[in-house]
């Protein structure tokens, strides 16, 4: 079976209608053929727009493309957490995979902590797949794609990017290149740390994370990692930011969050990080001017499913720093 990926993209962007089960399986197979060829540390060239958590907020992602530019005219680097929490995880991840098939060198997709079987079964993606397809087959196929996603990227030998953060098991980029990523993310160890860890301004060294996975790490750890790899800064996602981004450690580390009004109730702004010559020539120092802030899609530009719920939501208000 051969499908027209341009037609799939046009349908998703135009109407937001989910792909059929057969189409999902085809997209997964074609995308996986591309993703398995990428290294654990993808080399990315600027200019590129870096995107944080999306969490199934499809129409807000479409708004992000309207603000930041459409492929293939704009290059994108996504830091993971495409699924869970929002109404449209299927539509979100399948559109991004279609873009990867259509323009593989224009978009880089990294893995986040929600791109796992254990997490997505709890926070909504599995339930969404069952509700839309009546079968776990599509969910299982997408999980196999997630096992192939790269786990970090470096932009112009200057900016290190990852979903979560750093690990006590990793000092050099070569250490990341050596790990086996083609599996479910373990609960602990270096791959888990890259997905789950968080920077903390009052921390020195590594400390235990309240998340139950990964670590908190301080400015000294960031400086040591950047110096060891001759890098200027690092950008990551994984934590809700009320203004869409947070800059730490004198511009050496920043969080970018790209899901506005998270869970449709947090009233936060969202942002993308635009890496260009200005940032690279400054040695990678991250400043507010490098972030493009946007709001949620207007009501007339989104669809809300009938009887919509945020799958398996616990009812608690997410707080700053949570994902």
């Amino acid at each position: 079976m051969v499908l027209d990926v341009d037609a799939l993209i046009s349908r998703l962007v135009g109407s937001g209608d989910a792909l059929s089960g057969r189409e999902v399986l085809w997209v997964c197979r074609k995308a996986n053929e591309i993703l398995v060829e990428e290294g654990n540390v993808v080399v990315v060239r600027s200019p590129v727009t870096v995107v944080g958590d999306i969490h199934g907020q499809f129409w807000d992602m479409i708004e992000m493309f309207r603000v930041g530019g459409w492929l293939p005219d704009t290059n994108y680097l996504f830091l993971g957490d495409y699924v869970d929490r929002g109404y449209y995880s299927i539509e979100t991840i399948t559109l991004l995979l279609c873009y990867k098939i259509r323009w593989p060198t224009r978009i880089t997709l990294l893995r986040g902590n929600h791109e796992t079987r254990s997490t997505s079964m709890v926070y909504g993606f599995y339930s969404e797949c069952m509700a839309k397809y009546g079968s776990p087959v599509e969910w299982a196929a997408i999980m196999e794609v997630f096992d192939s996603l790269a786990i970090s990227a470096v932009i112009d030998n200057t900016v290190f990017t990852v979903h979560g953060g750093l690990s006590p098991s990793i000092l050099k980029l070569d250490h990341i290149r050596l790990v086996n990523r083609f599996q479910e993310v373990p609960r602990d160890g270096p791959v888990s740390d890259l997905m789950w860890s968080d920077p903390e301004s009052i921390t020195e060294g590594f400390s235990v994370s309240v998340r139950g996975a990964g670590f908190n790490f301080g400015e000294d750890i960031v400086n040591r990692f950047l110096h060891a790899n001759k890098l200027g800064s690092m950008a990551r996602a994984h934590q809700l930011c009320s203004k869409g981004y947070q800059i730490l450690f004198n511009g050496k580390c920043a969080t970018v969050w790209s899901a506005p009004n998270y869970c449709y109730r947090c009233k936060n702004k969202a942002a993308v990080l635009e890496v260009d010559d200005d940032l690279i020539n400054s040695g990678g120092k991250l400043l507010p001017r490098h972030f493009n802030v946007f709001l949620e899609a207007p009501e007339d530009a989104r669809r809300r499913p009938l009887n919509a719920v945020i799958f398996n939501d616990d009812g608690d208000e997410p707080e700053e720093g949570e994902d």
Side-chain angles (χ1 to χ4, degrees):
M1 178 177 66
V2 178
L3 299 179
D4 182 350
V5 70
D6 287 324
L8 299 181
I9 291 170
S10 294
R11 192 201 322 162
L12 283 163
V13 172
S15 67
D17 290 338
L19 302 186
S20 69
R22 184 184 67 161
E23 290 167 336
V24 170
L25 297 181
W26 181 86
V27 167
C28 287
R29 185 173 67 254
K30 299 300 291 185
N32 212 34
E33 292 173 0
I34 298 168
L35 294 168
V36 295
E37 298 299 323
E38 296 184 336
N40 288 352
V41 184
V42 181
V43 176
V44 176
R45 298 190 181 281
S46 64
V48 63
T49 297
V50 181
V51 184
D53 294 36
I54 299 295
H55 283 298
Q57 295 183 204
F58 178 81
W59 294 110
D60 295 323
M61 183 176 72
I62 295 298
E63 180 70 10
M64 182 270 295
F65 283 128
R66 291 193 185 103
V67 171
W70 294 93
L71 287 101
D73 297 325
T74 302
N75 300 321
Y76 279 95
L77 166 55
F78 284 77
L79 302 183
D81 278 15
Y82 314 104
V83 302
D84 290 335
R85 301 286 197 183
Y87 301 143
Y88 303 104
S89 291
I90 279 285
E91 294 83 351
T92 297
I93 186 58
T94 52
L95 176 58
L96 293 176
L97 293 178
C98 284
Y99 278 144
K100 187 65 179 178
I101 296 166
R102 182 63 179 86
W103 296 292
T105 63
R106 295 290 190 178
I107 180 171
T108 300
L109 302 173
L110 302 187
R111 191 175 195 172
N113 64 300
H114 279 260
E115 277 70 65
T116 65
R117 294 160 183 82
S118 57
T119 303
S120 69
M121 286 194 76
V122 175
Y123 290 100
F125 186 44
Y126 178 83
S127 298
E128 181 182 334
C129 290
M130 292 298 296
K132 291 179 177 177
Y133 297 108
S135 163
V137 171
E138 292 77 11
W139 174 82
I142 294 171
M143 290 303 114
E144 292 184 8
V145 173
F146 289 166
D147 287 344
S148 298
L149 291 173
I151 53 179
S152 65
V154 174
I155 306 170
D156 287 349
N157 296 315
T158 302
V159 182
F160 174 71
T161 63
V162 69
H163 178 72
L166 302 178
S167 169
S169 302
I170 293 171
L171 177 60
K172 303 293 290 291
L173 291 174
D174 282 343
H175 297 156
I176 302 177
R177 294 185 177 103
L178 291 173
V179 302
N180 175 26
R181 80 173 194 264
F182 297 102
Q183 58 179 322
E184 175 78 346
V185 175
R187 193 60 186 172
D188 54 25
V191 175
S192 175
D193 296 342
L194 293 173
M195 306 293 157
W196 284 93
S197 293
D198 300 299
E200 175 55 68
S201 58
I202 62 173
T203 296
E204 289 187 4
F206 287 97
S207 63
V208 175
S209 172
V210 296
R211 293 181 185 270
F215 294 86
N216 295 329
F217 56 94
E219 183 174 6
D220 57 330
I221 298 299
V222 172
N223 288 335
R224 185 181 70 173
F225 179 83
L226 296 177
H227 177 75
N229 294 286
K230 299 180 180 179
L231 298 168
S233 61
M234 65 174 288
R236 39 90 64 181
H238 193 46
Q239 287 181 295
L240 173 62
C241 303
S242 61
K243 64 179 183 180
Y245 68 94
Q246 182 183 32
I247 299 173
L248 293 170
F249 311 147
N250 194 32
K252 295 282 187 70
C253 178
T255 299
V256 57
W257 181 268
S258 303
N261 193 25
Y262 181 42
C263 291
Y264 311 107
R265 66 188 186 205
C266 286
K267 304 187 188 322
N268 59 286
K269 297 178 181 177
V272 293
L273 168 62
E274 297 178 339
V275 180
D276 54 15
D277 288 344
D278 173 65
L279 193 157
I280 297 301
N281 292 337
S282 71
K285 185 174 183 178
L286 299 163
L287 299 170
R289 68 172 181 266
H290 299 129
F291 293 87
N292 193 347
V293 177
F294 65 99
L295 302 176
E296 63 183 312
E299 282 298 322
D300 61 359
R302 67 168 69 239
R303 289 194 323 171
R304 184 183 181 90
L306 296 175
N307 302 318
V309 295
I310 299 176
F311 295 104
N312 290 316
D313 183 31
D314 57 16
D316 293 333
E317 194 76 10
E319 297 178 357
E320 183 88 0
E322 290 186 352
D323 75 335

